[in-house]
Amino acid sequence: MSKKVLLLGGAGFIGLNIARYLKEQTDYQITIADNFSRGKKDEYLRELLEGQKVSLIEGDFTQPSAYDTLEKDYDQVYMLASVVGVNNTLEIPHEIIRINTALIFNTLEWLKASSVKKVLFTSTSECYAGTIDAFGYKVPTPEEIPLTIQDIGHPRFTYAVTKMLGESGFLNYSRKCGFECTIVRYHNVFGPRMGFKHVIPHLAQRFLAGESPFLVYGHDQTRSFCYITDAVEGTFLAMEAPGSNGEIYHIGTMDEITIEELITEAGRFFGYTGPYENAPTYPGSVQRRCPDISKARKQLGFTPKIRWQEGLKLTLEWYKEFFNSGKESFETSFEKPKVNV
Ligand SMILES: NC(=O)c1ccc[n+]([C@@H]2O[C@H](COP(=O)([O-])OP(=O)(O)OC[C@H]3O[C@@H](n4cnc5c(N)ncnc54)[C@H](O)[C@@H]3O)[C@@H](O)[C@H]2O)c1
């Protein structure tokens, strides 16, 4: 029998790719619910909606009434809806708090009254960025790291505060309210159609605009970039694995690289031969980030397959074509030095 799946926030970057992946499998009936505050009604969504397997519900799920449009008996719910992005935390921190907590609380209350079997909540490495900075915790970083907010009043931490609420909320409602729950913490997922407020689309835009010397913000900071198809597979495995109830998984790769390496590789792609110049990134950006994914490997059989260079090439090709086609980016793009990594 086919499984009924709801993707809340499913028109966004990761959600749309999970929906595509599920559509290719034999037995999933997929519903995407989104308010299109970030997800787009573009050709990729239209293509996904072709046929009988995927349907769309449009609504603002910060409103409890929006949940009346959903069914009550999904086998699986992927909870992806959220306001994301470092720029947003700095510009609209009060909205991050309002929207993300409302989405979490309303979804939990709806789950309490429904017969959904399993939920996956999407969290972030930002929840422990403060632990690395304040306490020098180990990198690569495993799931049991304590979560830290270094400065409770700083707008930057609003996103992490809401994701911590989500982790605690979903795990604890799940135990009391009769549904299973798994948390994934993503680590720098990237790929085509990821939006424009991220270091990789910024790079494409800046190289195409002919910036020279090319400024390298936070050159010695490290990240590990996870290509979207690997992130989707890890998420799917976390949802499907019978033993994953109540567990948290770090989803990413252990290929830790510097921002300088990332940028010079992108420069090679664009044929840039000019000089590079190091520049400071904005304060509060974590110096090192790399997940330990041993738990996901062992318990889920998660094996990232796309090396960062290959993923970068695929992503830059997409953005190059996008910008060269004259299409408008659907978000404000590069504003130095708010580099969102
Ligand atoms: N992309 C990453 O590297 C990354 C890293 C860490 C965590 N995450 C988490 O994974 C999830 C998906 O991330 P993404 O990169 O696809 O982000 P995204 O912004 O592309 O997707 C989020 C979706 O939620 C929708 N949404 C927002 N408010 C809503 C509302 N009130 N009602 C209904 N829908 C609403 C947006 O329109 C968007 O389509 C998010 O929860 C994010 O916090 C992503």
Side-chain angles (χ1 to χ4, degrees):
M1 216 176 79
S2 81
K3 283 185 190 168
K4 277 167 68 172
V5 182
L6 173 69
L7 295 154
L8 201 45
F13 169 48
I14 297 177
L16 191 103
N17 281 286
I18 296 175
R20 271 181 175 166
Y21 182 88
L22 293 176
K23 193 181 175 186
E24 282 166 18
Q25 318 292 316
T26 45
D27 53 355
Y28 292 89
Q29 198 62 41
I30 304 142
T31 303
I32 288 175
D34 208 293
N35 72 343
F36 295 97
S37 56
R38 186 135 192 274
K40 289 290 152 239
K41 289 178 187 166
D42 56 11
E43 66 263 41
Y44 302 98
L45 181 68
R46 282 195 290 276
E47 189 187 316
L48 190 66
L49 292 172
E50 280 167 15
Q52 304 295 312
K53 288 177 88 172
V54 186
S55 59
L56 175 69
I57 293 174
E58 191 167 346
D60 175 2
F61 288 84
T62 61
Q63 302 303 316
S65 58
Y67 294 77
D68 298 340
T69 62
L70 303 177
E71 294 178 36
K72 291 203 177 302
D73 61 346
Y74 297 100
D75 294 288
Q76 300 177 339
V77 174
Y78 289 86
M79 173 48 175
L80 303 132
S82 168
V83 180
V84 309
V86 175
N87 294 357
N88 280 332
T89 64
L90 300 178
E91 284 157 19
I92 48 162
H94 61 308
E95 283 293 275
I96 299 259
I97 296 286
R98 180 185 71 80
I99 295 170
N100 291 359
T101 53
L103 284 168
I104 289 164
F105 179 70
N106 291 339
T107 303
L108 289 171
E109 285 293 297
W110 167 71
L111 285 165
K112 194 166 84 177
S114 76
S115 54
V116 168
K117 295 196 180 74
K118 187 162 184 178
V119 183
L120 179 139
F121 177 71
T122 53
S123 186
T124 171
S125 51
E126 282 294 308
C127 290
Y128 68 75
T131 322
I132 305 277
D133 277 347
F135 305 109
Y137 203 88
K138 67 181 167 188
V139 182
T141 309
E143 288 81 355
E144 58 269 22
I145 183 172
L147 309 184
T148 299
I149 299 298
Q150 268 175 295
D151 179 353
I152 195 64
H154 197 291
R156 184 191 155 77
F157 289 106
T158 50
Y159 176 63
V161 163
T162 63
K163 288 294 182 179
M164 287 185 194
L165 170 73
E167 290 197 18
S168 173
F170 278 85
L171 288 170
N172 284 290
Y173 264 65
S174 135
R175 285 189 209 108
K176 290 286 178 192
C177 303
F179 59 90
E180 293 192 5
C181 166
T182 299
I183 312 282
V184 293
R185 287 192 198 130
Y186 292 127
H187 292 69
N188 289 97
V189 181
F190 77 108
R193 194 188 179 271
M194 68 185 303
F196 297 87
K197 290 186 168 184
H198 187 278
V199 67
I200 292 172
H202 288 167
L203 291 177
Q205 203 174 18
R206 290 167 57 206
F207 277 115
L208 287 170
E211 180 175 320
S212 183
F214 200 92
L215 295 181
V216 183
Y217 298 101
H219 69 285
D220 57 350
Q221 291 191 340
T222 72
R223 297 291 183 268
S224 53
F225 291 91
C226 180
Y227 193 63
I228 182 67
T229 50
D230 285 327
V232 165
E233 208 168 292
T235 310
F236 173 76
L237 290 168
M239 174 63 101
E240 292 286 325
S244 67
N245 181 31
E247 299 293 338
I248 298 172
Y249 296 98
H250 281 183
I251 297 297
T253 77
M254 294 181 67
D255 229 350
E256 186 182 4
I257 60 163
T258 62
I259 295 300
E260 187 174 11
E261 284 175 88
L262 177 80
I263 291 182
T264 50
E265 182 73 14
R268 274 192 286 280
F269 173 87
F270 285 105
Y272 177 73
T273 52
Y276 291 93
E277 211 171 89
N278 294 341
T281 188
Y282 72 98
S285 188
V286 66
Q287 185 62 25
R288 283 186 72 190
R289 178 184 295 156
C290 177
D292 183 339
I293 60 165
S294 310
K295 181 177 171 185
R297 275 190 201 282
K298 202 167 149 204
Q299 295 186 8
L300 308 176
F302 172 54
T303 315
K305 297 180 185 68
I306 308 287
R307 295 297 307 274
W308 68 271
Q309 296 94 330
E310 190 189 340
L312 183 65
K313 184 168 169 285
L314 294 168
T315 308
L316 293 177
E317 273 164 358
W318 190 90
Y319 278 95
K320 188 174 167 189
E321 198 184 312
F322 184 94
F323 287 123
N324 284 342
S325 72
K327 287 182 192 162
E328 291 281 313
S329 67
F330 52 77
E331 296 170 311
T332 45
S333 45
F334 185 65
E335 301 159 49
K336 60 184 177 185
K338 293 175 185 171
V339 182
N340 175 10
V341 290

